[in-house]
Amino acid sequence: IVVNGEIQILGAGTTTITASQAGNDSYEAAVSVPQDLVVSPAPLTIAAQDKSKVFAEPSNPDPALTFTVSGLVNGETTDVITPITIGRVAGENAGTYAISTTGGASANYTSSRSGGTFTIAKASPTISISPDPIPNQVFGNPPLQLTAIHSAGLWIKWHSTSTNVVAVSSNGLAAITGVGGSTIFASHPGNSNYNATSIDRNLTVSSAQPTIT
């Protein structure tokens, strides 16, 4: 609109502004002069914000997805654009998933969008071992059964740093093979949803005391 010769922009589009003079007792009416005015839509940016959570079974609920809107002019709010919805690509395994928005249209704005990233991080499991601590042994003792539990129920790999002192089978049976010290590891290398984890305990084997009769 034109108020007192000043153009006030109310919306995007094309209009014709005409300057005219009606004349008076001394002057004939002037020839009207029309002029087209084009008002382009204002740029509007709708940006999805990054979010994350940690993998779990059963899955953890997603945090609320959010977005920002920038570029509204003249004190306008998001009430002047169509409702905006936000969502992400489905999936619950560790990895990244695209976040996108729809809506936010208005004849007075040209919307541009930037997507977000939803990250599901690998879980960090734990391993418990029993007995804990591992009791020291005497050479000649029978094999000692060790037990380890992965918090996600995954398989366990056993390892002894000194197999000439103690050798541990795949099922956790520790056979005493000599005198000295060894560190026993129970571990899992991790997978697409879980980080690697391990636990270690020291085991000392002392010499047997022979009996002389």
Side-chain angles (χ1 to χ4, degrees):
I1 63 173
V2 179
V3 178
N4 296 325
E6 182 180 86
I7 299 173
Q8 297 182 1
I9 305 300
L10 301 181
T14 301
T15 188
T16 300
I17 298 173
T18 301
S20 60
Q21 209 284 330
N24 55 27
D25 293 339
S26 302
Y27 294 94
E28 297 287 340
V31 176
S32 297
V33 179
Q35 181 68 53
D36 290 339
L37 175 66
V38 178
V39 179
S40 300
L44 189 73
T45 301
I46 302 170
Q49 297 179 304
D50 294 342
K51 297 292 179 178
S52 65
K53 68 176 183 179
V54 177
F55 174 81
E57 293 179 305
S59 62
N60 293 320
D62 285 1
L65 302 181
T66 56
F67 58 86
T68 60
V69 178
S70 58
L72 292 167
V73 299
N74 299 328
E76 292 185 333
T77 68
T78 53
D79 291 339
V80 302
I81 59 178
T82 59
I84 299 172
T85 58
I86 187 169
R88 73 170 178 93
V89 173
E92 292 299 333
N93 288 321
T96 56
Y97 302 84
I99 304 173
S100 58
T101 60
T102 59
S106 169
N108 292 329
Y109 293 94
T110 299
S111 298
S112 63
R113 303 177 189 279
S114 61
T117 300
F118 191 95
T119 302
I120 301 180
K122 290 184 179 184
S124 295
T126 59
I127 294 175
S128 60
I129 194 170
S130 177
D132 190 13
I134 300 174
N136 291 334
Q137 300 294 302
V138 176
F139 182 74
N141 282 2
L144 174 65
Q145 182 64 60
L146 304 177
T147 302
I149 298 175
H150 190 286
S151 59
L154 301 180
W155 53 268
I156 298 294
K157 178 182 179 181
W158 291 96
H159 172 68
S160 170
T161 58
S162 298
T163 56
N164 60 341
V165 174
V166 58
V168 186
S169 66
S170 60
N171 65 355
L173 189 65
I176 307 304
T177 58
V179 175
S182 181
T183 301
I184 308 299
F185 285 86
S187 64
H188 187 278
N191 58 27
S192 59
N193 288 321
Y194 291 97
N195 289 315
T197 186
S198 69
I199 187 172
D200 63 270
R201 295 292 184 265
N202 294 325
L203 172 60
T204 299
V205 179
S206 57
S207 300
Q209 298 300 316
T211 301
I212 301 176
T213 58

